[in-house]
Amino acid sequence: MTTLAQIAAELAGYDPQALRADMVNTFLAKLVQPVTDSENIGIFQALGRVLAVDLVSPISVPAHDNSAMDGYALAGAQLSLGKPLTLRLVGTALAGKAWQGRVAAGECVKIMTGAIMPAGLDTVVPQELVSVAGDQITLAAGLLRCGDNRRRLGEDLQQGQPALLKGELLTPAALGLVASLGIQSVPVLRRLKVAYFSTGDEILSLGEAPREGAVYDSNRYTVFGLLTRLGCEVIDMGVVPDQPDLLEAAFVQAALQADAIITSGGVSVGEADYTKAMMKKLGDVTFWRIAMRPGRPMAVGQIFRDKLASSPYAASADSYHKSSIATGSAMLFGLPGNPVAVMVTFLAFVRPALLRLMGCSASAPPLLRARSSEAIRKKPGRTEYQRGIVSAAPDGSLQVQTTGQQGSGVLSSMVRANGLIVLHHAQGNVAVGDEVDVMMLSSVV
Ligand code: AMP
Ligand code: MG
């Protein structure tokens, strides 16, 4: 068990009141204890899951040298520069059926895509490149080199080598690869359970009558979407009003049922509410002011389950969820309240941490470079995530413009954006035409 104080002590320059965005990820990486429980499941259930072991290939794929084209198989040694080649057709090799005959010099075999290369033949001429006259084919000079259009045994996967590594996310391509090995089920790490709720007396649940000064809860729906896309099992705990007993019940039940808890609201400085006090009471929690925009305040920590057993709220936690949690603590992410800040802090920090918790080896999406088609004001000394619209410039290169208004409550601009322009800590103003980093939303949501 690592405490927050231990991690803080290891990080040079750690300042919870002016924390660099990159240090947030370093900190969280040290806090996360990846899940280890695994289960064996069929391929169709495995999409989006994380592989629990290296998957060693029991066979070579392809299992034989075979043809990549419909055409004629020949011995490539007969191809000589500057001379056409005429060969006599002596048979046909079909896919799924080896052609057993022998081929002498000056002969060839008609072959279909995927058919095993007949013994002694190493090159395939596509049928559209030859002229056929009776049982003779003629190939013009200079069209083919020895070895062309032949797929080699094991060129995709070699028998005995790992085809996929532990920690890889099973994408559609990975599912196909598993199937290509003849494997029907794979060991994957268990799914994460993540509980979430919104806090604040001004937050209305859907269906509630509007009151003056109140706003409908949007964060829960955004968080639901982000978690679902990540493949987590979600536990929706609703809107929790600013009352100590209700907050305590929510935190205790969430911690007993989930690997991680995500809340929104109630973590900013000067918040006159009970959310922060309850986090502090129940867990090992720290409150950060991150040098970033949007999303400055954030709470992180862990709630230890064995300390909750005596809570009056423990009994009502769902026993199904409780029973399948093996780890001793639930991670806590207290996100700010503003809807855009919720998404940005989730994508920048929570998502990489949850991927790590899932046992996934890749946690950061690649950033693209795009030319800014406008000037952007940016102060050095904080990381900014601006909503951007990336498009192809007339010359085919990538360009990006902001969605304009960057207020952290303006969720409509998040809908319009297809990427987040990441302006790094030390970076200053951006001039028209400068290249900037962009995190494409399609890679993370
Ligand atoms: P807070 O972080 O609690 O100070 O909230 C900052 C802003 O976000 C306030 O304007 C809140 O009304 C708004 N807000 C907080 N929670 C939510 C929510 N669940 N859905 C929509 N807006 C919210
Ligand atoms: Mg509030």
Side-chain angles (χ1 to χ4, degrees):
M1 173 177 103
T2 316
T3 65
L4 300 184
Q6 284 166 340
I7 297 173
E10 284 172 21
L11 289 176
Y14 173 76
D15 177 1
Q17 290 307 303
L19 195 61
R20 285 177 59 127
D22 46 9
M23 200 176 274
V24 171
N25 288 319
T26 310
F27 191 108
L28 291 174
K30 288 177 185 286
L31 183 62
V32 169
Q33 302 284 320
V35 298
T36 51
D37 302 344
S38 63
E39 57 180 327
N40 227 46
I41 57 171
I43 297 189
F44 282 126
Q45 279 72 51
L47 183 64
R49 301 291 293 270
V50 178
L51 200 60
V53 296
D54 287 355
L55 202 66
V56 173
S57 184
I59 55 172
S60 287
V61 180
H64 306 273
D65 285 5
N66 69 85
S67 176
M69 303 288 263
D70 288 341
Y72 299 89
L74 53 99
Q78 300 166 95
L79 295 162
S80 56
L81 274 177
K83 278 201 204 139
L85 179 65
T86 296
L87 300 167
R88 196 169 67 84
L89 192 56
V90 295
T92 301
L94 299 172
K97 214 176 185 185
W99 187 76
Q100 303 291 4
R102 287 258 135 220
V103 185
E107 295 177 344
C108 68
V109 172
K110 188 168 174 148
I111 194 163
M112 302 301 148
T113 304
I116 297 175
M117 294 293 288
L121 306 187
D122 55 16
T123 305
V124 174
V125 52
Q127 59 189 10
E128 51 277 18
L129 294 189
V130 302
S131 50
V132 183
D135 67 350
Q136 307 272 315
I137 65 153
T138 300
L139 161 68
L143 294 179
L144 203 66
R145 281 167 315 172
C146 184
D148 277 358
N149 305 310
R150 168 194 49 170
R151 303 173 182 144
R152 299 304 302 253
L153 179 153
E155 76 175 24
D156 190 358
L157 300 165
Q158 294 270 346
Q159 182 178 16
Q161 296 294 310
L164 290 167
L165 297 177
K166 176 181 174 177
E168 281 194 61
L169 209 53
L170 294 167
T171 58
L175 295 191
L177 193 78
V178 171
S180 77
L181 300 173
I183 296 175
Q184 300 186 34
S185 65
V186 281
V188 295
L189 294 167
R190 72 169 173 82
R191 280 175 83 191
L192 287 191
K193 290 185 171 57
V194 183
Y196 56 91
F197 55 91
S198 299
T199 69
D201 280 346
E202 81 281 28
I203 308 303
L204 286 174
S205 285
L206 294 184
E208 251 188 281
R211 335 178 264 279
E212 188 167 80
V215 294
Y216 281 114
D217 179 13
S218 58
N219 291 341
R220 251 167 72 225
Y221 300 89
T222 309
V223 168
F224 157 80
L226 291 165
L227 289 171
T228 301
R229 280 279 211 260
L230 208 51
C232 299
E233 198 172 316
V234 295
I235 304 173
D236 181 357
M237 305 198 61
V239 176
V240 181
D242 199 22
Q243 294 172 28
D245 53 336
L246 295 177
L247 281 165
E248 180 162 358
F251 277 115
V252 169
Q253 289 174 16
L256 290 175
Q257 297 177 57
D259 300 291
I261 306 165
I262 297 175
T263 66
S264 72
V267 293
S268 30
V269 183
E271 244 337 286
D273 66 18
Y274 295 107
T275 306
K276 285 198 284 187
M278 194 53 66
M279 289 179 177
K280 239 186 251 175
K281 176 181 160 187
L282 296 174
D284 174 27
V285 179
T286 181
F287 298 88
W288 286 333
R289 291 176 75 177
I290 305 169
M292 71 183 294
R293 202 173 179 166
R296 217 146 66 106
M298 183 171 158
V300 298
Q302 46 197 345
I303 300 182
F304 298 103
R305 281 185 256 280
D306 55 357
K307 296 199 181 137
L308 302 179
S310 59
S311 162
Y313 304 106
S316 45
D318 185 302
S319 55
Y320 157 70
H321 288 302
K322 248 162 88 173
S323 64
S324 56
I325 295 285
T327 53
S329 63
M331 286 193 77
L332 173 66
F333 301 95
L335 306 186
N338 276 310
V340 178
V342 165
M343 287 198 79
V344 167
T345 49
F346 185 97
L347 295 175
F349 311 128
V350 181
R351 184 178 183 277
L354 290 180
L355 280 167
R356 219 175 260 278
L357 192 59
M358 288 160 66
C360 185
S361 45
S363 57
L367 299 178
L368 299 183
R369 299 284 286 169
R371 267 184 298 105
S372 180
S373 37
E374 67 189 274
I376 306 174
R377 286 166 60 87
K378 158 74 168 65
K379 271 199 210 141
R382 70 182 182 210
T383 304
E384 289 192 16
Y385 299 83
Q386 299 220 358
R387 281 141 270 172
I389 300 171
V390 176
S391 59
D395 68 358
S397 66
L398 292 181
Q399 61 185 9
V400 64
Q401 65 186 101
T402 70
T403 55
Q405 236 269 58
Q406 294 290 313
S408 63
V410 186
L411 199 51
S412 56
S413 62
M414 198 72 200
V415 175
R416 284 209 296 132
N418 61 4
L420 288 175
I421 302 170
V422 184
L423 302 172
H424 298 281
H425 190 83
Q427 205 169 338
N429 289 336
V430 174
V432 175
D434 282 357
E435 279 201 335
V436 289
D437 276 342
V438 181
M439 180 196 291
M440 291 305 288
L441 291 175
S442 57
S443 68
V444 284
V445 302

